[in-house]
Amino acid sequence: MSENVIEARGLLKTYGEARAVDAIDLDIRRGEIFGLLGPNGAGKTTTILMMLGLTETSGGSVSVLGFDPVRQPLQVKRRVGYLPDAVGFYDHMTARENLIYTARLLDIPRRESNGRIMQALKSVALDDVADKRVATFSRGMRQRLGIAEIVMKKAEIAILDEPTSGLDPHATFELLEMIRGLKKAGVAVLLSSHLLDRVQSVCDRVALFNKGKIALMGTVVELANQVLGAGHPLLVEASGIDVAAALRGIEGVQQVLPAGEGAWRVVADRDVRAVVARNVVTAGGSLSRLSDLQPSLEEVYTHYFEGERHAA
Amino acid sequence: MQREGSPFTGIGPVFMKELSDHLTSIRMMVLTLFVIVFGAFPVASSLQTLRTVVSADAYLYLRIFTIEPQQVPISFISALNFIIPLMAIGLGFDSVNSEFNRRTLSRVLSQPIYRDALLLGKFLGGLMTLAVGLLALWLIVFGAGLLLLGIPPRGVEVARAFGFLVVAVFYGGVWLAIAMLFSVVFRSTATSALCALGLWLFFFILWPMIANALVLGFAPAEITSIDQYVGIQELAIALQRLSPGTLFSEALLGLLNPETRTLGFMLPTQMRGAIPNAPLPLDQSLLLIWPQVTGLIAGMIVVFSAAYVVFQREEVRA
């Protein structure tokens, strides 16, 4: 039985007429990595700020570790670590001094804080630059310092807003490793992102935000089944013939959709690779690629929002 | 809805950080230089004047602050009247919006601290910095007086001069609160600095003229009674007192010129029986300036509350 660390029920945030967050229900379980996905302005950051009590709710309720962020923000903020989008530190102070300031705000006893700070800096591989001014840090180092702050805080929940945005692939990889490290330490991680393939690799569950509502929620595979349909999606690349026409007649094929120049997406309820290959070749086409697609979050995302646009 | 936990949680670390930031900053050095340059001239020349003019004066030390020397037609207190706002604005104009622009605000506010404590900690840190600076200046003036006049100050003079220091800190507090209000309202530090400096110039240059124009506008074409005349004079004074600088200089007048008996308008008939040029005892002087000091403190609290209200409603997201 997994225990919920964050429970939101009918959570609402309105700005005048506009509903930034429209009555969402959300549960985050202890020790999982949960991804909030969606386009910019879909309400991800607003949801996060309401969970931290940094912005007022317009309705509904949210409970974080059993505390109400509206009425007991100090209790919540003592136990939850937050890494804002493009986190800032005091440039004129060193990494260690920045963390000392946070430790003072957290009221960590001085004799304890030094050890905890060094340990946290070590866990994000910043211990050798602990006494360098933050002004000299790269973006990736700042994000890691933000993670160090959460580690030092011994937070039970880590909320990361776009942690990987603006990072190069290597720095992203390192950061995701650190996020996994948080999970290993038993911390529930809530992260928002639009870098879908990265998120897919770390998240246990995701929620897809759209216009303030949660459109889809579940594991990546569940979402794929919901949006892309169950079964075996294939990617076919061929030239010389009308591939769509050649494949439509095959038994079990549900959909043939164009997926770019000379490429088609085939959704079937069984493995139809052999038949597809035969049909293309016998029709006189040259088959250049035939691959079984793992459902990817990117596809779910694109597909879902394309469907939305058509519906609108 | 009631929120839990003390609004002052975390105020200590914020205060200490602000104080150390201010005291070690280059900006503070520039401001100190400013004050020394602007303050040293009047003090040096008034000491010069005091050394040459030999007269029995019971309040010799206080004259260092108040007399307008011949060489520089500005006294130390009028220089301070002008300079303290500049110092306060320099310390406060970017206190909140710079945190916002550096993106540290949401991170700091996600620690267990209320916005109240952050704002108050910043304000008190700035005020403390101001107080330290003024105290240093005050000690320098006293030291220079000791050296150049060669006689020690009397206790009552020290007490009055200390009162001056306290009033000066409150006066700086008003301007610090104003600067912080602008730093909360405007996201751009340049805009907030410009607005605060604009208000400062407005009160020093424009307001006396506007107040006069207003009085002329209200005044009847012909003054027929003494009551009417008194009414107009009182209106003029009341308008002038809307400027914190007026309150400051009136309070200093009462404190540093013990002969001052009134800060308002007075008819010659009301002066009947008074001994001219007889100094008031300290407690009477304090009573005299009490409304001015209260006005300064109230102004400081009102402006700070406005900043607080705006800050509470502000969105922390970028």
Side-chain angles (χ1 to χ4, degrees), chain A residues 156-273:
Chain A
E156 291 172 56
I157 304 175
I159 299 184
L160 319 172
D161 196 356
E162 299 282 358
T164 56
S165 78
L167 298 188
D168 62 58
H170 182 66
T172 305
F173 176 77
E174 284 182 336
L175 197 75
L176 290 177
E177 279 306 303
M178 283 159 198
I179 292 173
R180 286 202 186 91
L182 284 177
K183 182 192 170 172
K184 248 176 238 150
V187 179
V189 181
L190 176 68
L191 64 92
S192 85
S193 182
H194 54 244
L195 288 177
L196 301 165
D197 50 338
R198 303 291 179 189
V199 170
Q200 182 168 19
S201 66
V202 301
C203 284
D204 298 315
R205 289 194 306 145
V206 297
L208 193 60
F209 270 68
N210 184 28
K211 292 175 192 148
K213 290 197 170 92
I214 292 181
L216 299 162
M217 182 154 62
T219 62
V220 176
V221 175
E222 280 169 17
L223 254 57
N225 287 345
Q226 239 172 304
V227 173
L228 306 172
H232 299 258
L234 295 179
L235 184 74
V236 180
E237 278 180 32
S239 56
I241 56 156
D242 181 1
V243 176
L247 300 184
R248 240 169 228 138
I250 299 171
E251 198 184 342
V253 170
Q254 293 160 326
Q255 274 181 310
V256 181
L257 301 164
E261 190 74 19
W264 281 264
R265 251 188 77 88
V266 178
V267 182
D269 58 4
R270 64 197 80 160
D271 190 355
V272 292
R273 273 179 290 182

Side-chain angles (χ1 to χ4, degrees), chain B:
Chain B
M1 210 169 346
Q2 195 83 37
R3 56 178 198 184
E4 287 177 11
S6 159
F8 300 112
T9 312
I11 198 168
V14 176
F15 173 77
M16 290 312 290
K17 174 180 177 296
E18 286 300 309
L19 193 60
S20 84
D21 277 2
H22 282 318
L23 291 179
T24 54
S25 71
I26 295 174
R27 187 189 302 172
M28 186 63 193
M29 280 161 48
V30 173
L31 287 173
T32 315
L33 200 71
F34 236 78
V35 172
I36 288 175
V37 169
F38 269 78
F41 264 122
V43 169
S45 33
S46 54
L47 281 171
Q48 198 70 35
T49 313
L50 286 175
R51 270 155 63 102
T52 49
V53 179
V54 184
S55 65
D57 194 331
Y59 292 96
L60 197 59
Y61 264 84
L62 299 184
R63 305 290 179 238
I64 305 174
F65 297 103
T66 54
I67 62 164
E68 279 186 21
Q70 288 105 7
Q71 303 96 315
V72 194
I74 184 171
S75 66
F76 181 63
I77 54 167
S78 26
L80 277 191
N81 195 342
F82 194 66
I83 282 303
I84 289 176
L86 196 64
M87 270 181 90
I89 290 171
L91 290 175
F93 79 95
D94 66 346
S95 71
V96 175
N97 48 17
S98 74
E99 294 256 353
F100 195 88
N101 295 334
R102 281 182 296 190
R103 293 171 169 278
T104 46
L105 189 61
S106 53
R107 189 176 57 84
V108 169
L109 285 179
S110 75
Q111 308 307 333
I113 177 173
Y114 279 119
R115 294 183 191 198
D116 317 28
L118 187 68
L119 199 65
L120 191 59
K122 277 176 171 289
F123 179 74
L124 293 179
L127 200 63
M128 190 63 178
T129 312
L130 210 59
V132 168
L134 288 172
L135 179 69
L137 191 67
W138 186 83
L139 287 173
I140 291 172
V141 171
F142 252 75
L146 273 178
L147 282 176
L148 294 174
L149 295 179
I151 48 162
R154 296 186 301 139
V156 65
E157 284 178 293
V158 176
R160 279 176 182 272
F162 184 74
F164 148 73
L165 188 64
V166 172
V167 174
V169 171
F170 284 134
Y171 177 55
V174 175
W175 282 99
L176 186 65
I178 289 173
M180 282 183 72
L181 172 64
F182 284 123
S183 89
V184 172
V185 171
F186 298 110
R187 287 280 154 88
S188 148
T189 52
T191 312
S192 117
L194 211 59
C195 284
L197 290 173
L199 194 67
W200 173 59
L201 286 178
F202 171 81
F203 272 132
F204 273 91
I205 297 170
L206 230 47
W207 181 243
M209 294 187 249
I210 292 176
N212 271 336
L214 281 177
V215 170
L216 286 179
F218 280 118
E222 214 175 325
I223 294 169
T224 50
S225 72
I226 191 95
D227 285 342
Q228 232 169 12
Y229 181 70
V230 170
I232 289 163
Q233 291 300 324
E234 274 174 356
L235 175 69
I237 292 173
L239 284 176
Q240 293 289 359
R241 281 181 183 158
L242 288 180
S243 161
T246 310
L247 293 181
F248 178 62
S249 53
E250 283 184 353
L252 291 197
L253 191 67
L255 264 178
L256 299 179
N257 282 329
E259 299 84 3
T260 310
R261 301 183 158 251
T262 173
L263 297 169
F265 176 73
M266 214 176 199
L267 290 174
T269 49
Q270 289 171 293
M271 293 285 283
R272 190 173 298 153
I275 306 162
N277 290 333
L280 289 183
L282 179 59
D283 57 336
Q284 291 302 312
S285 287
L286 286 179
L287 271 180
L288 182 67
I289 64 158
W290 193 241
Q292 271 71 12
V293 176
T294 320
L296 283 176
I297 297 174
M300 182 171 86
I301 292 173
V302 166
V303 179
F304 181 79
S305 312
Y308 170 78
V309 168
V310 178
F311 189 47
Q312 285 290 338
R313 287 157 188 263
E314 199 147 277
E315 290 286 334
V316 294
R317 66 188 305 173

Side-chain angles (χ1 to χ4, degrees), chain A residues 99-108 110 113 152, chain B residues 10 13 16:
Chain A
L99 291 190
I100 288 175
Y101 181 45
T102 310
R104 299 266 157 80
L105 287 174
L106 284 163
D107 211 8
I108 299 174
R110 272 164 209 244
S113 67
M152 177 201 75
Chain B
M16 290 312 290

